[in-house]
DNA sequence: TCACAATGATGAAACGTTTCATATTGACAG
DNA sequence: CTGTCAATATGAAACGTTTCATCATTGTGA
């Protein structure tokens, strides 16, 4: 069995309270006793039992991280950042996947809560089932809002707006949009920003406007590929010359679809993604995309969970357009 | 404050011991008391405090998962599977990244161990620092061995062998190999299997043999791209017509490099990857690769950690060649 | 009717901490 | 020499469980 604080006390000839006090650096202990205790701790290799401490203090140094799917590169990146910052502060990260299933999400959050985490970082799937479930645990929400908790997110409208703006500036008029699930706010907001820029354009250029073609699916590769096919199998005259997507994964799926159909990117088709996952700069052509400031998101989230004062209600961080090789002027007809 | 077992006992008019016994399903309690207790539990919304239980039992229902980098799609996939199986059994997963840094690995394992996990699933980076660190915690190692602990891994030699075999069968003779870091066994084994098949070929076909070109780097995209460039910037007569890699990430980087240099895959260059990450079937062309049976790996690992009897020393699972679109016969000169 | 076994409930101890009220010590002022 | 005060150490309680030795209450057979 591991040595306990009692063993240390006994061996050092002091009381357990005293040992506890030398462990808590900032308490007042005489120098010689502190030295002696530290020596015995070293000698018998004592490591405080975290369970005892947690029970006594009624809190742990664990941070719960709930994401829809760790396999999604964006969430993997998020998890990595969270884990890095958390472990630098002496916290550990408990990981849970919801698989976009509200029922599973509820379940996961409940068991996480049962472990009395110091805080919760949550990318919510649904509001209905989780609403009111969390109380007394510092929680910040990423990407999607949950009433009663701070939200840290990229400004999705702005992101969509930037994508549309870029495409219009290049001269595209027939523009497609591959959206995420309509049920999610993230998705709705990105699309909304995108469409808003087009509306603005219509107002200033009444003659040129062509209605965007919007299709809806999931955020994953496969959806991008399928919806891409759908969008692209049209006569040259109506087929979009540019498509914006709600995620890089969709964009990469779309890239594939375009390739399958013999369309060259960016010559025949311009594509702009969303997120800027690591892979975005490694596909062929490199993907022009809307970058989420993920380090900043993580920093804020952890501050909200661990920091001394609560976060403000909502942070909307500015996305930035990363120009790479997947966009060009539309082909001349 | 949350209700405790004491509150339940008091409200139900029984002792805490009794409540505890109804909580432990398999204990003997009279029917009426069980009903009454369960009713009050329901009524006041009691949820057992896991810390109290863990302290008493001196063990938790947490599984530690230590990977080099959760951002690597293979490990993300692994994490997802681990989390799924673990949570089905009522366990939670504590995630730690080592960033391929032995020092960080040691640190991470130590703090994880301090949390008294029920088990540890570990993809080790180094042996030296971690050796002997873990005792008394059920541990299984994935991918790379660690003395004293069970290992579950794909048969890397077999994998390398399969790749070489496939390429040879297609008629390739000038074959390149992009290896992972020489310091890792995984990498060494894959390369070894690959080279072994070539050696065999040389023995049976003495005239035809051309020495393979092997380069070494990391398992990531970037390395694949850089090493790919290095391998491909040669006169047509010596440039490999096929390259096998030690990871799909490398293969995808290589795909990019080839594209940048105007080489078409598979017409001008055949590529075979390793792992079969989700993305492998979504790049253009779809990647022919050596699949790791990741579900099986996870299943075994969890069995080793949670199961009733220890795992045997070492499991080497069979990889399988997944033929897709990145390989073809070599171009006729 | 009585002894005894079987069944089921109880109370207390224990897990390893932290903290708080109390005790001890020494120095110093009066 | 006594009383006070500061500084520091002690002991015990408390956190929420589980378990084990007891104890109480039945039912059974003679």
């Amino acid at each position: 069995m591991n040595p306990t604080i009692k063993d240390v006390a006994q061996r050092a000839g002091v009381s357990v309270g005293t040992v506890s006090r030398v462990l808590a650096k900032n308490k007042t202990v005489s120098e010689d006793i502190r030295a002696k205790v530290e020596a015995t701790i070293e000698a018998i290799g004592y490591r405080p039992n975290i369970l005892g401490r947690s029970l006594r203090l009624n809190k742990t140094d664990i941070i719960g991280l709930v994401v829809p799917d760790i396999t999604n590169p964006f969430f993997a990146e998020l998890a990595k950042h969270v884990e890095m910052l958390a472990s630098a502060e002496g916290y550990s990260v408990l990981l849970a996947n919801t698989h976009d299933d509200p029922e599973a999400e509820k379940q996961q959050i409940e068991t996480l809560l049962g472990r009395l985490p110091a805080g919760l970082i949550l990318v919510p799937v649904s509001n209905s089932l989780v609403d009111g479930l969390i109380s007394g645990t510092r929680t910040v929400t990423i990407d999607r809002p949950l009433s009663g908790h701070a939200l840290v997110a990229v400004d999705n409208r702005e992101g969509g707006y930037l994508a549309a703006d870029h495409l219009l500036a290049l001269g595209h008029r027939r523009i497609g949009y591959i959206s995420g699930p309509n049920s999610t706010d993230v998705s709705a907001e990105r699309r909304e920003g995108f469409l808003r820029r087009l509306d603005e354009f219509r107002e200033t250029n009444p003659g040129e406007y062509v209605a965007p073609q919007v299709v809806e699916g999931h955020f994953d590769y496969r959806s991008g590929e399928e919806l891409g096919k759908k969008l692209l199998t049209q006569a040259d005259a109506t087929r979009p010359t540019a498509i914006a997507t709600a995620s890089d994964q969709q964009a990469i799926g779309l890239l594939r679809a375009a390739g399958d159909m013999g369309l060259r990117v960016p010559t025949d088709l311009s594509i702009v993604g969303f997120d800027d996952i690591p892979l975005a700069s490694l596909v062929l052509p490199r993907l022009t995309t809307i970058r989420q400031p993920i380090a900043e998101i993580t920093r804020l989230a952890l501050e909200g969970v661990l920091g001394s004062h609560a976060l403000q209600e909502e942070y909307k961080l500015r996305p930035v357009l990363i120009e790479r090789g997947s966009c060009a002027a539309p082909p001349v007809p």
Side-chain angles (χ1 to χ4, degrees), chain A:
Chain A
M1 206 60 279
N2 288 330
T4 80
I5 200 175
K6 231 177 260 173
D7 300 325
V8 177
Q10 198 166 3
R11 202 138 181 287
V14 299
S15 75
V16 297
T18 302
V19 178
S20 178
R21 270 162 46 245
V22 350
L23 254 25
K25 304 284 185 209
N26 51 357
K27 290 289 172 54
T28 152
V29 187
S30 70
E31 251 336 296
D32 48 344
I33 286 210
R34 153 163 284 134
K36 187 163 56 176
V37 168
E38 276 170 351
T40 37
I41 285 179
E42 188 65 32
I44 68 179
Y46 165 75
R47 313 231 328 134
N49 179 314
I50 262 187
L51 294 173
R53 165 180 295 160
S54 295
L55 175 60
R56 176 63 226 245
L57 300 180
N58 196 38
K59 65 171 203 195
T60 64
D61 37 10
I62 281 182
I63 291 178
L65 174 64
V66 184
V67 298
D69 179 5
I70 188 67
T71 271
N72 177 322
F74 177 72
F75 296 131
E77 197 78 14
L78 180 70
K80 176 165 144 184
H81 278 84
V82 167
E83 198 272 340
M84 274 168 49
L85 293 190
S87 75
E89 303 279 332
Y91 290 81
S92 293
V93 175
L94 219 36
L95 175 72
N97 291 288
T98 62
H99 310 285
D100 275 309
D101 171 11
E103 196 55 59
E105 172 173 58
K106 178 170 187 236
Q107 186 65 38
Q108 293 278 30
I109 292 181
E110 273 177 346
T111 84
L112 232 51
L113 249 25
R115 298 186 188 283
L116 304 181
L120 219 53
I121 295 180
L122 178 59
V123 182
V125 167
S126 79
N127 287 23
S128 52
L129 282 181
V130 177
D131 210 12
L133 197 59
I134 307 168
S135 73
T137 303
R138 298 186 65 166
T139 300
V140 0
T141 268
I142 288 185
D143 242 31
R144 320 175 189 181
L146 184 61
S147 69
H149 303 284
L151 168 67
V152 178
V154 77
D155 187 330
N156 288 303
R157 286 190 186 81
E158 171 85 8
Y161 189 94
L162 285 176
D165 189 64
H166 184 59
L167 261 13
L168 285 170
L170 284 170
H172 293 275
R173 293 303 173 260
R174 293 200 309 276
I175 304 184
Y177 187 76
I178 296 183
S179 164
N182 276 337
S183 55
T184 69
D185 295 322
V186 186
S187 177
E189 289 169 12
R190 290 179 190 175
R191 190 178 51 228
E192 193 181 312
F194 178 83
L195 294 177
R196 180 153 53 83
R197 179 64 188 95
L198 293 189
D199 281 352
E200 286 179 16
F201 180 80
R202 177 177 45 177
E203 286 174 14
T204 41
N205 310 52
E208 291 200 65
Y209 181 75
V210 173
Q213 302 178 23
V214 178
V215 289
E216 180 213 351
H218 288 97
F219 285 113
D220 58 10
Y221 298 116
R222 204 157 308 277
S223 219
E225 185 176 3
E226 285 167 7
L227 295 173
K229 284 233 165 71
K230 193 162 141 192
L231 234 31
L232 294 174
T233 49
Q234 303 185 32
D236 281 8
T238 58
R239 185 185 342 104
T241 60
I243 299 179
T245 66
S247 78
D248 281 351
Q249 296 194 84
Q250 291 174 330
I252 289 167
L254 170 60
L255 220 43
R256 224 219 98 75
D260 273 354
M261 304 179 64
L263 294 168
R264 286 157 308 162
V265 178
T267 321
D268 302 322
L269 176 71
S270 289
I271 297 180
V272 23
F274 205 113
D275 286 345
D276 194 24
I277 62 179
L279 189 61
S281 58
L282 285 154
V283 289
L284 195 67
R286 299 178 200 271
L287 200 58
T288 291
T289 190
I290 307 296
R291 172 182 294 170
Q292 297 210 41
I294 198 163
E296 182 70 359
I297 291 177
T298 316
R299 199 187 56 70
L300 272 169
L302 257 112
E303 189 181 315
V305 157
L306 262 28
S308 51
H309 51 278
L311 230 50
Q312 70 187 49
E313 186 62 30
E314 182 175 304
Y315 282 85
K316 285 285 192 181
L317 306 179
R318 291 193 79 79
V320 9
L321 172 77
I322 305 293
E323 287 194 56
R324 289 196 272 249
S326 66
C327 289
V332 289

